[in-house]
Amino acid sequence: MKNVPNKQAALYLQVKEVLIQRIQDKIWTPGNLIPTEQELMQEFDVSRTTLRQAINMLVQDGLLEKTQGRGTVVKAQPLFGGSLGRLKGLAEEATERGLTSNSRLLRVGFMSHLYYETSMLELEEGEEILVIERIRFTDETPIALERSCWPASIGKILEKVDLNDAKYYEILENNGVNLKRAKDKVSAINATLYEADLLGIRGGEALLEMQRLSFGYDDKPLEFTTTKFRSDKYHYDIELTR
């Protein structure tokens, strides 16, 4: 076989190794069609069966994707993922991975008679809640829509700062408000046309929705946030032990 670095491995593994290297070196970039089967068979001097074994493995690994009527394309990889088990914000996650993070404010204001949010935050009916809606970006790519709800006592702290790039947890800690724990609920949903337009995707595409309820050291809810992530740009890592 031609053009392979490891001649001891099985042929399909040698092909796979070369294809991975081309993706890592950005010779083939996300969304691009890879060469046809015939072209790759001639280049590597292998059979169709051997080539398909290599390609199918990369499809299973999530590096390639077979599309109807087009062929096989390089699959876009998530920009980064969050780790369940640690209470931190999106900006903190991005910074830990060497990415830039910023936001664009869509709407902010105090609202009352939000019955579901009032219930989640364990407030009295009619109490005001500060609602903040933002688009979240990493490396200038829109990856999430965020809707955060805060009791009025917390809202009065947050309304004083620039909410476009505000790091909520950091601001609260600087004002003597500390979070103790949080509960996250993760679901799969489909993007509405409005959400898709804001995120630069097509309507109906899959989103990863996370609802977070955070508590202070007195075990009273301080935050109820719903974040809808692009599933092609974000994932969760979960480590399990037994």
Coordinates of all heavy atoms in Angstrom, one line a residue, residues 98-138:
G98 N -8.7 27.2 26.5 CA -8.0 28.1 25.7 C -8.8 28.8 24.6 O -8.3 29.3 23.6
L99 N -10.1 28.9 24.8 CA -11.0 29.5 23.9 C -11.5 30.9 24.4 O -11.5 31.1 25.6 CB -12.2 28.6 23.6 CG -12.0 27.2 23.1 CD1 -13.3 26.4 23.1 CD2 -11.4 27.2 21.7
T100 N -11.8 31.8 23.5 CA -12.4 33.0 23.9 C -13.9 32.9 24.0 O -14.5 32.1 23.3 CB -12.1 34.1 22.8 OG1 -12.6 33.8 21.6 CG2 -10.6 34.4 22.7
S101 N -14.5 33.6 24.9 CA -15.9 33.5 25.1 C -16.5 34.9 25.3 O -15.9 35.8 25.9 CB -16.2 32.7 26.4 OG -17.6 32.7 26.7
N102 N -17.6 35.2 24.6 CA -18.3 36.4 24.8 C -19.8 36.2 24.5 O -20.2 35.1 24.1 CB -17.7 37.5 23.8 CG -17.9 37.2 22.4 OD1 -17.3 36.2 21.9 ND2 -18.7 37.9 21.7
S103 N -20.6 37.2 24.8 CA -22.0 37.1 24.7 C -22.6 38.4 24.0 O -21.9 39.4 23.9 CB -22.6 37.0 26.1 OG -22.1 36.0 26.8
R104 N -23.8 38.3 23.5 CA -24.5 39.4 23.0 C -25.9 39.4 23.7 O -26.7 38.5 23.6 CB -24.7 39.4 21.5 CG -25.3 40.7 21.0 CD -25.3 40.7 19.5 NE -26.5 40.0 18.9 CZ -26.5 39.1 17.9 NH1 -25.4 38.8 17.4 NH2 -27.7 38.6 17.5
L105 N -26.2 40.5 24.3 CA -27.5 40.7 25.1 C -28.6 40.8 24.1 O -28.6 41.6 23.2 CB -27.4 41.9 26.0 CG -28.5 42.1 27.0 CD1 -28.6 41.0 28.0 CD2 -28.4 43.5 27.7
L106 N -29.7 40.0 24.3 CA -30.9 40.1 23.5 C -32.0 40.9 24.2 O -32.7 41.7 23.6 CB -31.4 38.7 23.2 CG -30.5 37.8 22.3 CD1 -31.1 36.4 22.2 CD2 -30.4 38.4 20.9
R107 N -32.1 40.6 25.5 CA -33.2 41.2 26.3 C -32.9 41.1 27.8 O -32.3 40.1 28.3 CB -34.5 40.5 26.0 CG -35.7 41.2 26.7 CD -37.0 40.5 26.3 NE -37.1 39.1 26.8 CZ -38.3 38.5 27.0 NH1 -39.4 39.1 26.7 NH2 -38.3 37.3 27.5
V108 N -33.3 42.2 28.5 CA -33.1 42.1 30.0 C -34.3 43.0 30.6 O -34.7 44.0 30.0 CB -31.8 42.7 30.4 CG1 -31.5 44.1 30.0 CG2 -31.6 42.6 31.9
G109 N -34.8 42.5 31.7 CA -35.8 43.3 32.4 C -36.4 42.5 33.5 O -36.4 41.3 33.6
F110 N -37.0 43.2 34.5 CA -37.7 42.6 35.6 C -39.1 42.3 35.1 O -39.8 43.1 34.5 CB -37.8 43.5 36.8 CG -36.5 43.6 37.5 CD1 -35.6 44.6 37.3 CD2 -36.2 42.7 38.5 CE1 -34.3 44.7 37.9 CE2 -35.0 42.8 39.2 CZ -34.1 43.8 38.9
M111 N -39.6 41.0 35.5 CA -40.9 40.6 35.1 C -41.5 39.9 36.3 O -40.9 39.4 37.2 CB -40.8 39.6 33.9 CG -40.0 40.1 32.7 SD -39.9 38.9 31.4 CE -41.6 38.7 30.9
S112 N -42.9 40.0 36.3 CA -43.6 39.3 37.3 C -44.6 38.3 36.6 O -44.8 38.3 35.4 CB -44.4 40.3 38.2 OG -45.2 41.1 37.4
H113 N -45.3 37.5 37.4 CA -46.3 36.6 36.9 C -45.7 35.5 36.0 O -46.3 35.1 35.0 CB -47.4 37.3 36.3 CG -48.1 38.3 37.2 ND1 -48.7 38.0 38.4 CD2 -48.1 39.7 37.1 CE1 -49.2 39.1 39.0 NE2 -48.8 40.1 38.2
L114 N -44.4 35.2 36.2 CA -43.8 34.1 35.5 C -44.0 32.9 36.4 O -43.1 32.6 37.2 CB -42.3 34.4 35.2 CG -42.0 35.6 34.3 CD1 -40.5 35.8 34.3 CD2 -42.6 35.3 32.9
Y115 N -45.1 32.2 36.2 CA -45.5 31.2 37.2 C -44.5 30.0 37.4 O -44.2 29.6 38.5 CB -46.9 30.7 36.9 CG -47.9 31.8 36.8 CD1 -48.4 32.3 35.6 CD2 -48.3 32.4 38.0 CE1 -49.3 33.3 35.6 CE2 -49.2 33.4 38.0 CZ -49.7 33.9 36.8 OH -50.6 34.9 36.8
Y116 N -44.0 29.5 36.2 CA -43.1 28.4 36.3 C -41.8 28.8 37.0 O -41.2 28.1 37.9 CB -42.8 27.8 34.9 CG -41.9 26.6 34.9 CD1 -42.3 25.4 35.5 CD2 -40.7 26.7 34.3 CE1 -41.4 24.3 35.5 CE2 -39.8 25.6 34.2 CZ -40.2 24.4 34.9 OH -39.3 23.3 34.9
E117 N -41.2 29.9 36.5 CA -40.0 30.4 37.1 C -40.1 30.8 38.5 O -39.2 30.5 39.3 CB -39.5 31.6 36.3 CG -39.0 31.3 34.8 CD -40.2 31.2 33.8 OE1 -41.3 31.2 34.3 OE2 -39.9 31.2 32.6
T118 N -41.2 31.4 38.9 CA -41.5 31.7 40.3 C -41.5 30.4 41.2 O -40.9 30.4 42.3 CB -42.9 32.4 40.4 OG1 -42.8 33.7 39.7 CG2 -43.2 32.7 41.9
S119 N -42.1 29.4 40.6 CA -42.1 28.1 41.4 C -40.7 27.5 41.5 O -40.4 27.1 42.6 CB -43.1 27.1 40.6 OG -43.0 25.8 41.2
M120 N -40.0 27.5 40.4 CA -38.6 27.0 40.5 C -37.7 27.7 41.5 O -36.9 27.1 42.2 CB -38.0 27.0 39.1 CG -38.7 26.1 38.1 SD -38.7 24.4 38.5 CE -37.0 23.9 38.5
L121 N -37.9 29.1 41.5 CA -37.1 29.9 42.4 C -37.6 30.0 43.8 O -37.1 30.7 44.7 CB -36.9 31.3 41.8 CG -36.0 31.3 40.6 CD1 -36.1 32.7 39.9 CD2 -34.5 31.0 40.9
E122 N -38.8 29.3 44.1 CA -39.4 29.3 45.4 C -39.8 30.7 45.9 O -39.5 31.0 47.0 CB -38.6 28.5 46.4 CG -38.4 27.0 46.0 CD -37.5 26.3 47.0 OE1 -37.2 26.8 48.1 OE2 -37.1 25.1 46.7
L123 N -40.3 31.5 45.0 CA -40.7 32.8 45.3 C -42.2 32.9 45.5 O -43.0 32.0 45.1 CB -40.3 33.8 44.2 CG -38.8 33.9 43.9 CD1 -38.5 34.7 42.7 CD2 -38.0 34.4 45.1
E124 N -42.7 34.0 46.1 CA -44.1 34.3 46.2 C -44.7 34.7 44.9 O -44.0 35.4 44.1 CB -44.3 35.4 47.3 CG -43.9 35.0 48.7 CD -44.7 33.8 49.3 OE1 -45.9 33.7 48.9 OE2 -44.1 33.0 50.0
E125 N -45.9 34.3 44.7 CA -46.6 34.7 43.4 C -46.6 36.2 43.2 O -46.9 37.0 44.2 CB -48.0 34.2 43.4 CG -48.8 34.5 42.1 CD -50.2 33.9 42.2 OE1 -50.4 32.9 42.9 OE2 -51.0 34.4 41.4
G126 N -46.2 36.7 42.0 CA -46.2 38.1 41.7 C -44.8 38.8 42.0 O -44.6 39.9 41.6
E127 N -43.9 38.1 42.7 CA -42.6 38.7 42.9 C -41.9 38.9 41.6 O -42.0 38.1 40.7 CB -41.7 37.8 43.8 CG -42.1 37.9 45.3 CD -41.0 37.2 46.2 OE1 -39.9 37.7 46.1 OE2 -41.4 36.3 46.9
E128 N -41.1 39.9 41.5 CA -40.3 40.2 40.3 C -39.1 39.3 40.2 O -38.5 39.0 41.1 CB -39.9 41.7 40.3 CG -41.0 42.7 40.0 CD -40.5 44.0 39.6 OE1 -39.5 44.4 40.2 OE2 -41.1 44.7 38.8
I129 N -38.9 39.0 38.9 CA -37.7 38.2 38.5 C -36.9 38.9 37.5 O -37.5 39.4 36.5 CB -38.1 36.8 38.0 CG1 -38.8 36.0 39.1 CG2 -37.0 36.0 37.5 CD1 -39.5 34.7 38.7
L130 N -35.6 39.0 37.6 CA -34.8 39.6 36.5 C -34.6 38.5 35.4 O -34.0 37.4 35.8 CB -33.5 40.1 37.0 CG -32.6 40.7 35.9 CD1 -33.2 42.0 35.4 CD2 -31.1 41.0 36.5
V131 N -35.0 38.8 34.2 CA -34.8 37.8 33.1 C -33.7 38.4 32.2 O -33.8 39.5 31.7 CB -36.1 37.6 32.4 CG1 -35.9 36.6 31.2 CG2 -37.2 37.0 33.3
I132 N -32.7 37.6 31.9 CA -31.6 38.0 31.0 C -31.5 37.0 29.9 O -31.3 35.8 30.1 CB -30.3 38.1 31.7 CG1 -30.4 39.0 32.9 CG2 -29.2 38.6 30.8 CD1 -29.1 38.9 33.8
E133 N -31.6 37.4 28.6 CA -31.5 36.5 27.5 C -30.2 37.0 26.7 O -30.1 38.1 26.3 CB -32.7 36.5 26.6 CG -33.9 36.0 27.3 CD -35.2 36.0 26.5 OE1 -35.1 36.4 25.3 OE2 -36.3 35.6 27.0
R134 N -29.4 36.0 26.4 CA -28.1 36.3 25.6 C -27.8 35.2 24.6 O -28.3 34.0 24.7 CB -26.9 36.4 26.6 CG -27.1 37.3 27.7 CD -25.8 37.5 28.5 NE -25.3 36.3 29.2 CZ -24.2 36.3 29.9 NH1 -23.5 37.4 30.1 NH2 -23.8 35.2 30.5
I135 N -27.1 35.6 23.6 CA -26.4 34.6 22.7 C -25.0 34.4 23.2 O -24.3 35.4 23.4 CB -26.4 35.1 21.2 CG1 -27.8 35.4 20.7 CG2 -25.8 34.0 20.3 CD1 -27.8 35.9 19.3
R136 N -24.6 33.2 23.3 CA -23.2 32.9 23.8 C -22.4 32.5 22.6 O -22.8 31.7 21.8 CB -23.2 31.8 24.9 CG -24.2 32.0 26.1 CD -23.8 33.3 26.8 NE -22.5 33.4 27.2 CZ -22.0 32.9 28.4 NH1 -22.9 32.3 29.2 NH2 -20.8 33.0 28.7
F137 N -21.1 33.0 22.6 CA -20.2 32.7 21.5 C -18.9 32.1 22.1 O -18.5 32.5 23.2 CB -19.8 34.0 20.8 CG -20.9 34.7 20.1 CD1 -21.8 35.5 20.8 CD2 -21.1 34.5 18.7 CE1 -22.8 36.2 20.2 CE2 -22.2 35.2 18.1 CZ -23.0 36.0 18.8
T138 N -18.3 31.2 21.4 CA -16.9 30.8 21.6 C -16.1 31.0 20.3 O -16.6 30.5 19.3 CB -16.8 29.4 22.2 OG1 -17.4 28.5 21.3 CG2 -17.4 29.3 23.6

